[in-house]
Amino acid sequence: MQPRSASTPMDLGSQSIPKLLIQYSVPAIIASVATSLYNIIDSIFIGRGVGAMAIAGLAITFPLMNLVIAFCTLIAVGGATISSIFLGQKNISRATDVVNNVFVLCIIHSVIFGGITLLFLDEILLFFGATPETLPYAREFMRVILYGTPISYIFIGLNNIMRATGYPKKAMISALLSVGANIVFAPIFIFVFDWGIKGAALATIIGQSVACVWVTCHFLSKKSFIHLNIRNRWITPAIIKRIYAIGLSPFLMNVCGCIVVIFINKALLDYGAEIGNLAVGAYGILNRTTMFFVMIVFGVTQGMQPILGFNYGAGQWSRVRKTLSIGIWLGVGITTVGWIATEMFPGTISHLFTVDETLIEIANRGFRIFFIFYPLVGCQIVIQNFFQSVGMPKLSIFLSLTRQLIFLIPFLIFIPRYFGIDGVWASMAASDCIAFFFALVTLIIVNRHQRKLHPHT
């Protein structure tokens, strides 16, 4: 048993909510910012060191990268949520079973998904919108990433468990180790060794390998509150079922992201005429930028997750509600900053990624339209992740589908017919706005129901 310190996982049910959010969210936000900055810096290295068409090739990989992440978050998020709920119920043994099962599932998923995807890589990339000009770049990048999926999955899976079981700072350090190694090796591989976009992918895997060693050592140590234990169960059908049930929401969110990016790339290629490839590259710039702020919001939700899961498991609805309220305000504040930045400095942001003036012009126009309702996105994300954190996956899945599938795809089919590339950017903005209202109404209904169930908390 870990010795009592100033703060342990059991304090999630008693310490003040603001103090807990600072303790858990700040490290997660730092890790998310570092990861987002790496993605941006990596794209800058690729854009300036390899070329504008390499940026377009990287954008083509986004759907496949979403699928890679989808099969990992299916395990990681479900495992993290269940482990924190078990801690709230003071069931340490079952929480340990969860860690064991997550480790095994990470290996199984990575081998099956990575292996099958490598066999049909070209066909998949062509389906996702690759052209003869962009296919070589997309293929070169994804081959390296897919070979490294076992490392990526173990790192991400166990890192989520680490944060959920009371080690937010160590989870932050693992992310910083990954990003730090990445930023060191990427420019060396791209500019010194002239390995092009493959060098960026190699740097990514090396960074994740360093972090994977760090995380695995944590869970092998008996000093950890929850750790890998050979005496506990490694394959537990009941736990695996719950992991999949809760992890299904982020899984579907990433799958929907994959489908949506296919439609976006297709629309940009169809309505962009001779600038279609550059329009896809512009979307790559917008995507990296929006994900920077979304990842910060995810940092907030990652910090909220153990607090929400623990207190929901302990039946303390008032603490759950207070955590959610603070999280929503933080989420809206973060995406509002993103909206201000992209409205005031679109050219500055675009110039970071490329010197191609046509690409910059397309991206600037996209920023103006795509980010119109961006402040609302923070609220929608927090509410969606709230339902996931308290074990209500169906509602989380529903809200995920509204933003990324139910509204956006019909918009992408019809609006660009009349407004061209501008219609693609407008479709994404309109979907964000409508999804926000659906999330808000759903939350109000659930909150009323829970207050009836917990009138004295």
Side-chain angles (χ1 to χ4, degrees):
M1 176 70 70
Q2 174 177 287
R4 175 77 181 180
S5 63
S7 180
T8 74
M10 294 306 170
D11 292 327
L12 290 166
S14 57
Q15 283 190 1
S16 72
I17 299 299
K19 182 178 179 180
L20 286 169
L21 278 171
I22 291 173
Q23 179 184 341
Y24 280 82
S25 287
V26 169
I29 290 171
I30 292 172
S32 294
V33 168
T35 302
S36 298
L37 283 176
Y38 148 67
N39 287 329
I40 291 173
I41 293 170
D42 206 34
S43 296
I44 292 171
F45 288 152
I46 291 171
R48 291 182 170 269
V50 188
M53 205 53 63
I55 284 284
L58 184 65
I60 292 297
T61 70
F62 289 167
L64 188 49
M65 289 296 290
N66 277 332
L67 280 181
V68 172
I69 296 298
F71 282 95
C72 184
T73 55
L74 176 62
I75 311 161
V77 175
T81 301
I82 295 168
S83 62
S84 61
I85 290 175
F86 278 142
L87 284 178
Q89 297 169 348
K90 297 181 172 57
N91 194 335
I92 307 302
S93 179
R94 293 294 277 174
T96 302
D97 288 342
V98 173
V99 178
N100 288 359
N101 278 258
V102 165
F103 183 81
V104 172
L105 289 174
C106 283
I107 295 174
I108 294 172
H109 276 223
S110 63
V111 171
I112 293 175
F113 176 77
I116 292 174
T117 307
L118 278 167
L119 288 175
F120 304 100
L121 183 56
D122 278 16
E123 292 83 355
I124 293 170
L125 292 173
L126 288 168
F127 178 75
F128 287 165
T131 64
E133 294 82 11
T134 58
L135 179 60
Y137 296 106
R139 179 201 301 128
E140 200 170 10
F141 184 83
M142 283 309 306
R143 274 183 178 169
V144 177
I145 295 297
L146 290 169
Y147 279 123
T149 48
I151 294 169
S152 304
Y153 277 37
I154 293 172
F155 159 51
I156 296 172
L158 293 185
N159 203 51
N160 274 265
I161 299 282
M162 180 187 286
R163 184 182 299 106
T165 54
Y167 296 91
K169 290 183 180 178
K170 293 189 77 171
M172 174 193 72
I173 292 172
S174 62
L176 292 177
L177 285 171
S178 174
V179 172
N182 215 315
I183 291 175
V184 169
F185 285 105
I188 295 174
F189 292 165
I190 294 172
F191 296 105
V192 179
F193 294 167
D194 197 26
W195 288 350
I197 198 168
K198 178 176 69 175
L202 283 169
T204 298
I205 299 303
I206 290 174
Q208 291 181 344
S209 298
V210 173
C212 185
V213 171
W214 164 265
V215 175
T216 304
C217 286
H218 166 83
F219 280 104
L220 289 174
S221 172
K222 292 184 179 180
K223 295 180 180 179
S224 303
F225 197 83
I226 301 293
H227 55 270
L228 292 166
N229 192 332
I230 196 168
R231 296 179 180 177
N232 282 69
R233 298 176 180 178
W234 291 81
I235 298 290
T236 312
I239 287 178
I240 292 174
K241 183 179 179 181
R242 289 189 67 183
I243 287 174
Y244 284 156
I246 294 175
L248 190 61
S249 172
F251 171 80
L252 289 178
M253 183 174 69
N254 281 288
V255 171
C256 289
C258 168
I259 296 170
V260 164
V261 174
I262 294 171
F263 275 86
I264 291 171
N265 287 343
K266 186 177 186 304
L268 292 172
L269 289 169
D270 289 346
Y271 297 100
E274 68 277 1
I275 61 168
N277 281 323
L278 289 179
V280 172
Y283 172 64
I285 294 173
L286 267 64
N287 182 277
R288 287 301 195 205
T289 306
T290 187
M291 285 307 298
F292 173 75
F293 295 100
V294 166
M295 287 296 288
I296 299 176
V297 178
F298 281 159
V300 173
T301 62
Q302 286 172 352
M304 292 169 59
Q305 184 272 315
I307 305 170
L308 291 168
F310 187 101
N311 286 284
Y312 184 79
Q316 301 189 73
W317 180 251
S318 62
R319 289 175 62 81
V320 170
R321 192 168 60 246
K322 185 174 182 179
T323 303
L324 173 62
S325 177
I326 297 173
I328 287 175
W329 283 109
L330 288 172
V332 171
I334 292 163
T335 48
T336 298
V337 171
W339 172 71
I340 294 171
T342 54
E343 287 296 313
M344 294 183 66
F345 311 108
T348 303
I349 297 171
S350 299
H351 272 92
L352 290 173
F353 294 88
T354 182
V355 294
D356 187 294
E357 291 300 325
T358 304
L359 179 54
I360 290 170
E361 183 180 345
I362 299 169
N364 289 353
R365 178 74 174 172
F367 277 126
R368 299 291 190 193
I369 301 171
F370 177 27
F371 280 77
I372 290 175
F373 297 114
Y374 199 60
L376 305 179
V377 172
C379 179
Q380 198 273 346
I381 291 173
V382 171
I383 293 173
Q384 176 191 316
N385 280 272
F386 158 73
F387 289 123
Q388 175 184 295
S389 297
V390 297
M392 299 181 185
K394 291 181 180 179
L395 289 176
S396 183
I397 291 167
F398 167 71
L399 296 181
S400 175
L401 292 176
T402 59
R403 181 172 178 235
Q404 296 202 72
L405 204 65
I406 296 173
F407 301 124
L408 182 52
I409 288 183
F411 288 160
L412 285 170
I413 292 172
F414 293 106
I415 296 178
R417 293 183 182 181
Y418 303 98
F419 300 100
I421 292 177
D422 284 353
V424 178
W425 313 134
S427 297
M428 291 186 273
S431 177
D432 286 341
C433 181
I434 297 175
F436 159 75
F437 286 106
F438 265 78
L440 196 59
V441 170
T442 304
L443 178 63
I444 290 171
I445 294 171
V446 171
N447 184 50
R448 287 177 179 174
H449 177 68
Q450 289 294 328
R451 293 184 80 164
K452 288 180 181 178
L453 293 177
H454 307 278
H456 303 298
T457 62

